[in-house]
Amino acid sequence: MEAPRVIAAVTRIVRDVGIAEELAQDALVAALEKWPDTGVPDNPGAWLTATARHRAVDLVRRRENYARKLEEVGRATAFAYEEQPPAGPDDIDDDLLRLVFMSCHPVLSAGARVALTLRLLGGLTTAEVARATLAPEPTVAQRIVRAKRTLATKNVAFEVPYGPDREARLDSVLEVIYLIFNEGYAATAGEDHLRPGLCEDALRLARVLQSLMPKEPEVHGLAALLELQSSRAATRTGPDGAPVLLRDQSRTRWSPLLIRRGFTALDRATAQAPGPPGPYVLQAAIAACHAQARRWEETDWPRIATLYALLAARAPSPVVELNRAVAVAMAEGPEAGLAIVDALAGEPALRDYHLLPSVRGDLLERLGRTAEAREEFARAAALTSNEREREYLLGRIDG
């Protein structure tokens, strides 16, 4: 949970994300060695950050001219501890956001930007990044290693850029914030269905971007989407941690504050949009349809299906098509949705994607094809790496 903040704080000193990640891991190892004897400190994150910073300072002292670098490190460390106001309307003192923009520098390929940021800020393993991005694990591993090396050799600055440079990286920044949120919203692996810390970090970064770029409709669209999705967080799992489907969630427990924030952000996005809505604005509009429905039965599925069709045209992907299939099935019947799902069967990106057989199993069950549905649920359970989802899918076989 603390690793991204520690990495960001140390990157400010060493200016190398690869070295910063190693120093953060050293601090975590030190905690495992000392805390059993001394007890967990009142502020574990501060302890980890201070330990990693001390090691970073020692490293710089060893590697560089002592007097010159000591003065530089002293300034950087002192600045990191002080709460100073932004230097200007376009500046911001946020190490996590700096790390996002650094990881999304144009010297890296699009795939490398996403993989590196999910690794550093999302805390995902290489295997989890591969699942989240639907890419082969060896490819992702190479991307991460090369990305760290490239940032170091190119001396990429640890900063939130200004003007055109900021705009050039915006699409990648929005994408990685979105993916970090998604990993928190439905974890690809592990025993927990949710990782709330990732959702909170992603939502905070989206809000910061809103203040930095108030005229960018997609920034407001992403913020709206995350606010609306976050409004349902308390109802997405039961007391035992098992996932709760949207239709079974208690809507009276959805957060009115986050829903209001989401609608406000969506209004801003719509007001700023010069033309057709972008992908995040469209996804926020879909989330707004769910937030407006007081009961599952009141959901405007025809509108959601239409919005997914627009999203598929604006940002085509097999995952969007799979989501559209669900909406079409609700609006027009399971047969219509199944036709779309079956057309996706040969998509290489969905070959190991557990939600494809999961959705197909649900549609087959609604059509009364129970035996086939059970086979699909079993295949989905075998593909997922999340224990809670596996338990749910196995329960669908028995139920």
Side-chain angles (χ1 to χ4, degrees):
M1 291 171 60
E2 296 293 341
R5 294 179 180 85
V6 177
I7 293 170
V10 176
T11 301
R12 177 195 285 269
I13 299 173
V14 299
R15 297 299 197 267
D16 185 312
V17 294
I19 294 174
E21 187 177 21
E22 292 175 6
L23 291 171
Q25 290 172 352
D26 287 346
L28 295 170
V29 171
L32 289 173
E33 293 172 346
K34 294 184 178 181
W35 289 0
D37 296 327
T38 63
V40 179
D42 293 336
N43 190 334
W47 190 98
L48 291 167
T49 301
T51 300
R53 276 201 182 107
H54 291 322
R55 297 187 180 211
V57 171
D58 290 341
L59 179 64
V60 172
R61 283 172 174 167
R62 289 196 303 269
R63 290 190 173 184
E64 305 290 344
N65 178 274
Y66 180 86
R68 177 173 58 82
K69 293 305 295 183
L70 182 59
E71 181 182 359
E72 179 181 325
V73 170
R75 287 198 305 270
T77 305
F79 183 75
Y81 279 106
E82 293 175 5
E83 291 190 6
Q84 301 179 353
D90 290 331
D91 196 13
I92 190 163
D93 183 22
D94 189 308
D95 282 346
L96 280 178
L97 193 60
R98 285 190 176 95
L99 188 58
V100 172
F101 272 96
M102 184 182 190
S103 302
C104 292
H105 196 280
V107 298
L108 304 178
S109 67
R113 297 173 204 167
V114 172
L116 181 62
T117 311
L118 287 176
R119 178 76 184 91
L120 295 179
L121 276 98
L124 276 65
T125 65
T126 303
E128 289 170 343
V129 174
R131 283 191 289 270
T133 57
L134 302 180
E137 187 173 341
T139 301
V140 169
Q142 290 178 357
R143 285 174 180 170
I144 292 172
V145 170
R146 290 172 182 169
K148 293 177 184 177
R149 186 184 305 127
T150 300
L151 292 177
T153 57
K154 297 290 186 180
N155 294 317
V156 173
F158 183 64
E159 64 181 6
V160 176
Y162 294 88
D165 288 342
R166 181 182 294 173
E167 294 174 4
R169 298 188 217 178
L170 181 59
D171 285 348
S172 290
V173 169
L174 294 178
E175 182 179 10
V176 296
I177 292 175
Y178 173 70
L179 288 173
I180 289 169
F181 182 89
N182 278 353
E183 177 59 26
Y185 196 69
T188 57
E191 297 182 359
D192 297 322
H193 183 57
L194 308 178
R195 298 174 65 180
L198 292 182
C199 291
E200 291 168 5
D201 277 344
L203 181 54
R204 184 179 62 79
L205 291 173
R207 290 171 177 171
V208 170
L209 275 183
Q210 279 186 287
S211 64
L212 275 177
M213 311 182 78
K215 295 184 179 180
E216 288 289 342
E218 281 290 83
V219 170
H220 292 300
L222 177 63
L225 174 62
L226 303 195
E227 299 278 9
L228 291 168
Q229 298 288 71
S230 296
S231 72
R232 307 200 295 263
T235 64
R236 295 192 64 248
T237 55
D240 60 350
V244 177
L245 298 181
L246 181 61
R247 65 171 175 250
D248 299 323
Q249 292 173 16
S250 174
R251 301 189 177 216
T252 58
R253 294 178 57 212
W254 288 2
S255 169
L257 173 61
L258 293 178
I259 290 174
R260 286 197 300 270
R261 290 184 65 101
F263 282 129
T264 299
L266 184 55
D267 288 342
R268 290 176 182 169
T270 304
Q272 295 289 349
Y280 296 111
V281 175
L282 287 170
Q283 290 180 77
I286 292 169
C289 289
H290 292 298
Q292 287 172 325
R294 295 185 178 182
R295 298 185 303 125
W296 167 260
E297 294 78 12
E298 296 176 6
T299 306
D300 190 349
W301 288 110
R303 174 165 170 73
I304 291 176
T306 299
L307 288 169
Y308 268 120
L310 293 173
L311 180 60
R314 185 73 169 77
S317 86
V319 174
V320 171
E321 276 296 292
L322 184 60
N323 289 332
R324 186 174 76 87
V326 174
V328 168
M330 296 302 301
E332 303 175 17
E335 287 187 0
L338 186 60
I340 299 173
V341 172
D342 286 344
L344 295 171
E347 283 286 344
L350 298 182
R351 182 180 56 189
D352 298 322
Y353 191 53
H354 73 282
L355 291 181
L356 179 63
S358 176
V359 169
R360 191 168 191 274
D362 184 70
L363 297 178
L364 288 169
E365 187 176 60
R366 289 170 57 187
L367 288 168
R369 295 160 62 177
T370 308
E372 294 174 80
R374 288 174 176 167
E375 290 179 5
E376 292 298 312
F377 290 138
R379 189 159 71 93
L383 288 174
T384 184
S385 296
N386 185 279
E387 292 301 323
R388 292 297 185 180
E389 283 203 87
R390 181 179 290 112
E391 291 171 3
Y392 166 76
L393 290 164
L394 292 175
R396 293 291 298 271
I397 297 173
D398 298 332

